[in-house]
Amino acid sequence: MKCRSCRQPAVIEVRRHNAGFCAGCFLRHCREQVARAIHDHAMVERGDRVLVPVSGGKDSLGLWDLLLDLGYEADGLYLGLGIGEYSDESRAFATGFAEGRGLSLRVLDLPAEHGFGIPDGAAAARRVPCSACGLSKRHLFNEAALEGGYDVVATGHNLDDEAAVLFGNVLHWSTEYLGRQLPVLPAARGFVRKVKPLIRLGEREMAAYCVLRGIDYIVEECPMAEGNRHLGYKAALDAIEERSPGSKASFYLGFLERASHRFVPDATVEQERLGPCISCGAPTTGEVCAFCRLVEKAHAAPAPRSEAVSVGRPRRRARGDA
Amino acid sequence: MKIRLRNPRREVEMAGPLRVHVLLDRLALNRESVLVIRQDTLVTGDVLLEDGDEVEVRPVISGGGA
Ligand code: SF4
Ligand SMILES: [Zn+2]
Ligand SMILES: [Zn+2]
């Protein structure tokens, strides 16, 4: 197979584009897709300070690399989730990337600063781990961005992630979520702007980008993901994609172009009911925000059995770099 | 040739020569969900793998629902 641009031997085939790429042309393709997403959706302006939450995985580290390469001012944020070995390893990949390139990375740790990890917190709140994790990340990323004076938070959600979320939202006709499933959430009272510059790149492309750029990332899956609905949706979409390449892109990008605006009214009703959390001040529709409720439940729960030998629960510490 | 696989980590031996897409069919893997890496470089489905090649089949799916 030959590169579609320069006819050199290809190293990767992207069936959605019906094309092979050599390493150089593929990297250029990735940069162009990110530049186009940023431009089409007015995600980031020159001079904006961008905060990139990095998990140590391919998407977030690849995104950080791409943004810097495109000339944006971007710092990293790593949040330790207290998921055993997985968290230790993923932190090593995030710090290794930052140190190797002399980049600024802030490291936060959920257990050290809030006294619980995702597995225990989720169990105490009777939530599935990814839901407790997602709400913690949304809260803490936003808080860190406000504290650090950043204009925008850029996350590594890729085309496959967004297509899978869309699939779930359509399957259940969650019109409010459909109205909020946008590549840019503008800044609002208490919220920093949030953008997803990787929406035009699939996860296979992101993995290939990292391999070709020599970015070391954690390949192992988070142990909490196993069996979650999101992975099931991805498998279903991949089975369709295998038979007709381009389906995922036309599903998600077509939604953005032709359907997403129809659901915006469903989401704005919710937005208008936002007020400050009485405990932390973050915007919420209730009295106490979802993160503060999670913290409260995690602290109220008896110590998990796995920690029965340790003395008491970790105490909450003041916020700051861990 | 030695084939390294992940999730769970394991190694299998296969006799070459063998095309990448045939290898993936034999492993019952969807080509949209993996990359094939030979001696640190990516290879496309039509490439012929030989005995003595060091091959890694790397999954690309990540599962965070949020
Ligand atoms: S898989 Fe779930 S628990 Fe693990 S990091 Fe992702 S969202 Fe969090
Ligand atoms: Zn080329
Ligand atoms: Zn709160």
Side-chain angles (χ1 to χ4, degrees):
Chain A
M1 171 170 278
K2 296 232 160 33
C3 172
R4 86 161 166 197
S5 312
C6 71
R7 314 307 299 162
Q8 297 285 328
V11 296
I12 180 165
E13 179 183 15
V14 183
R15 293 172 71 222
R16 165 162 59 93
H17 294 298
N18 195 16
F21 293 93
C22 72
C25 294
F26 179 73
L27 295 176
R28 200 178 61 227
H29 155 79
C30 292
R31 287 181 200 121
E32 284 167 359
Q33 294 299 317
V34 170
R36 181 166 166 199
I38 291 175
H39 173 267
D40 286 357
H41 300 281
M43 291 183 178
V44 191
E45 279 174 36
R46 292 288 159 191
D48 276 352
R49 291 185 62 228
V50 186
L51 184 65
V52 186
V54 289
S55 65
K58 62 186 192 314
D59 301 306
S60 52
L61 290 181
L63 171 61
W64 197 4
D65 188 69
L66 279 157
L67 289 174
L68 293 168
D69 217 62
L70 290 169
Y72 293 101
E73 192 190 325
D75 294 336
L77 170 69
Y78 175 84
L79 172 65
L81 299 166
I83 308 179
E85 255 175 51
Y86 172 77
S87 286
D88 298 337
E89 273 182 45
S90 59
R91 175 169 47 230
F93 282 102
T95 53
F97 178 86
E99 279 162 17
R101 288 165 171 75
L103 303 173
S104 154
L105 174 72
R106 182 172 177 198
V107 176
L108 298 177
D109 191 64
L110 192 60
E113 283 151 58
H114 296 281
F116 70 98
I118 289 303
D120 304 337
R126 295 175 198 276
R127 279 176 173 270
V128 290
C130 293
S131 139
C133 186
L135 78 86
S136 302
K137 287 193 281 199
R138 276 191 296 278
H139 181 91
L140 295 169
F141 294 167
N142 190 61
E143 183 179 79
L146 289 171
E147 281 172 7
Y150 290 92
D151 300 290
V152 51
V153 173
T155 54
H157 297 90
N158 59 44
L159 174 58
D160 292 76
D161 296 324
E162 292 303 303
V165 170
L166 177 60
F167 193 74
N169 287 343
V170 169
L171 210 54
H172 300 104
W173 288 116
S174 312
T175 52
E176 187 201 317
Y177 289 135
L178 284 166
R180 255 190 287 148
Q181 202 191 335
L182 301 169
V184 178
L185 290 177
R189 271 173 310 161
F191 287 119
V192 171
R193 183 183 349 137
K194 289 183 196 75
V195 302
K196 299 171 180 170
L198 299 184
I199 52 164
R200 304 188 62 87
L201 291 168
E203 55 193 345
R204 191 163 168 275
E205 287 163 277
M206 285 314 296
Y209 178 84
C210 287
V211 171
L212 294 172
R213 285 284 286 167
I215 297 173
D216 252 339
Y217 65 89
I218 186 160
V219 175
E220 268 65 44
E221 187 51 78
C222 169
M224 300 286 118
E226 213 183 316
N228 78 10
R229 281 191 297 180
H230 195 72
L231 278 180
Y233 298 152
K234 277 190 176 175
L237 288 170
D238 271 344
I240 298 170
E241 184 81 13
E242 163 106 68
R243 287 179 168 217
S244 60
S247 299
K248 283 186 281 199
S250 74
F251 180 49
Y252 175 66
L253 299 175
F255 164 73
L256 288 189
E257 231 175 79
R258 298 201 290 279
S260 64
H261 62 276
R262 296 166 196 251
F263 298 100
V264 169
D266 289 71
T268 36
V269 179
E270 184 84 341
Q271 287 289 317
E272 279 160 10
R273 293 198 289 121
L274 289 176
C277 165
I278 55 167
S279 166
C280 75
T284 174
T285 49
E287 232 178 39
V288 180
C289 77
F291 181 70
C292 288
R293 289 200 307 264
L294 175 63
V295 173
E296 204 172 293
K297 284 184 186 146
H299 289 180
R305 250 187 285 166
S306 57
E307 281 177 25
V309 285
S310 69
V311 188
R313 297 188 58 78
R315 290 227 319 278
R316 184 176 168 163
R317 279 212 322 239
R319 270 186 222 122
D321 286 9
Chain B
M1 73 193 87
K2 231 188 269 163
I3 319 278
R4 282 199 293 142
L5 296 154
R6 308 260 196 155
N7 297 344
R9 258 179 220 249
R10 59 204 190 279
E11 260 184 26
V12 297
E13 267 295 323
M14 285 214 190
L18 188 65
R19 296 229 180 257
V20 168
H21 63 79
V22 176
L23 168 72
L24 296 181
D25 281 349
R26 284 202 195 157
L27 294 168
L29 290 171
N30 182 331
R31 56 184 153 166
E32 290 301 323
S33 60
V34 294
L35 289 175
V36 179
I37 302 169
R38 176 179 63 184
Q39 277 96 260
D40 295 329
T41 45
L42 293 176
V43 287
T44 50
D46 56 344
V47 164
L48 200 60
L49 302 168
E50 308 276 358
D51 277 331
D53 277 349
E54 297 259 339
V55 179
E56 179 191 345
V57 178
R58 184 182 290 196
V60 299
I61 310 288
S62 47

